[in-house]
């Protein structure tokens, strides 16, 4: 092998390693495979809420006239730099069909993704065809709260199984 061939082989190997590192370093905050919908709400402070609805796979046998599905809806609070600081999430199980829909269970959750933020007051529940969760994120600087944000996510199922 010539010197030029050796250099090209070495450059190809370096390029492959750098490509792999970049691929595994920059992963999104959520997996796109199960995402049904996504919306972005921009805030005055430069931050934003990115809210997604995801399918939560189940393997239950379903009757023909009604269906049961589990979905989750998550609002991620991102700072002005686009980094996730905290999130609030509701996972709901719904039945629908025959012209009606009903939430049969709802589980709220929330967590901080940054050491400057703490999450509290996590509540949730269900009502009719809705599942909801609320949480408060507080940003601390030297032990003092410098920012507070409260967010509610509501997951709704239509009688035809459209989730919003």
């Amino acid at each position: 092998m010539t010197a030029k061939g050796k250099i090209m082989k070495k450059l190809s190997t370096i390029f492959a390693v750098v490509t792999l590192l970049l691929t595994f370093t920059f992963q999104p905050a959520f997996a796109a495979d199960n995402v049904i919908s996504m919306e972005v709400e921009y805030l005055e402070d430069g931050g934003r809420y990115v809210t997604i609805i995801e399918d939560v796979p189940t393997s239950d046998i379903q009757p023909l006239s009604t269906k049961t599905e589990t979905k989750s809806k998550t609002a991620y609070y991102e700072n002005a730099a686009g980094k996730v600081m905290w999130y609030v999430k509701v996972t709901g199980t719904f039945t629908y069909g025959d012209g009606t829909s009903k939430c049969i269970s709802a589980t709220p959750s929330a967590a901080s993704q940054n050491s400057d933020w703490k999450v509290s007051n996590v509540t949730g529940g269900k009502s009719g065809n809705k599942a909801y969760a609320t949480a408060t994120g507080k940003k601390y600087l030297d032990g003092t709260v410098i920012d507070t944000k409260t967010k509610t996510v509501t997951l709704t199922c239509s009688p035809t199984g459209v989730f919003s």
Side-chain angles (χ1 to χ4, degrees), residues 33-76:
D33 293 345
N34 297 331
V35 174
I36 297 169
S37 71
M38 181 174 82
E39 65 181 53
V40 179
E41 174 190 353
Y42 294 94
L43 305 173
E44 290 180 14
D45 67 358
R48 63 184 173 236
Y49 287 108
V50 177
T51 302
I52 62 168
I53 298 176
E54 294 177 279
D55 186 33
V56 179
T58 59
S59 60
D60 297 336
I61 297 173
Q62 308 272 327
L64 293 177
S65 61
T66 62
K67 285 191 163 190
T68 302
E69 288 193 52
T70 301
K71 307 285 185 208
S72 68
K73 188 170 186 176
T74 310
Y76 296 92

Side-chain angles (χ1 to χ4, degrees), residues 1 5-6 19 24 40 48 65 74 96 105 107 118 131-132 137:
M1 184 179 282
K6 287 180 182 179
T19 301
F24 291 110
V40 179
R48 63 184 173 236
S65 61
T74 310
Y96 64 90
S105 74
T107 305
K118 297 198 183 331
Y132 57 90

Side-chain angles (χ1 to χ4, degrees), residues 57-156:
T58 59
S59 60
D60 297 336
I61 297 173
Q62 308 272 327
L64 293 177
S65 61
T66 62
K67 285 191 163 190
T68 302
E69 288 193 52
T70 301
K71 307 285 185 208
S72 68
K73 188 170 186 176
T74 310
Y76 296 92
Y77 173 70
E78 295 181 353
N79 67 8
K83 303 234 186 231
V84 175
M85 299 291 106
W86 64 280
Y87 69 87
V88 56
K89 174 180 182 177
V90 65
T91 301
T93 301
F94 299 82
T95 59
Y96 64 90
D98 288 340
T100 65
S101 62
K102 181 179 182 181
C103 181
I104 57 175
S105 74
T107 305
S109 60
S112 172
Q113 302 292 291
N114 181 282
S115 60
D116 292 339
W117 286 83
K118 297 198 183 331
V119 177
S120 61
N121 303 327
V122 182
T123 61
K126 60 185 177 69
S127 176
N129 65 339
K130 299 179 188 311
Y132 57 90
T134 300
T136 300
K138 293 181 180 180
K139 182 178 182 179
Y140 287 82
L141 179 64
D142 297 328
T144 302
V145 176
I146 61 169
D147 194 5
T148 300
K149 300 202 178 308
T150 298
K151 182 68 174 169
T152 299
V153 289
T154 302
L155 179 61
T156 304

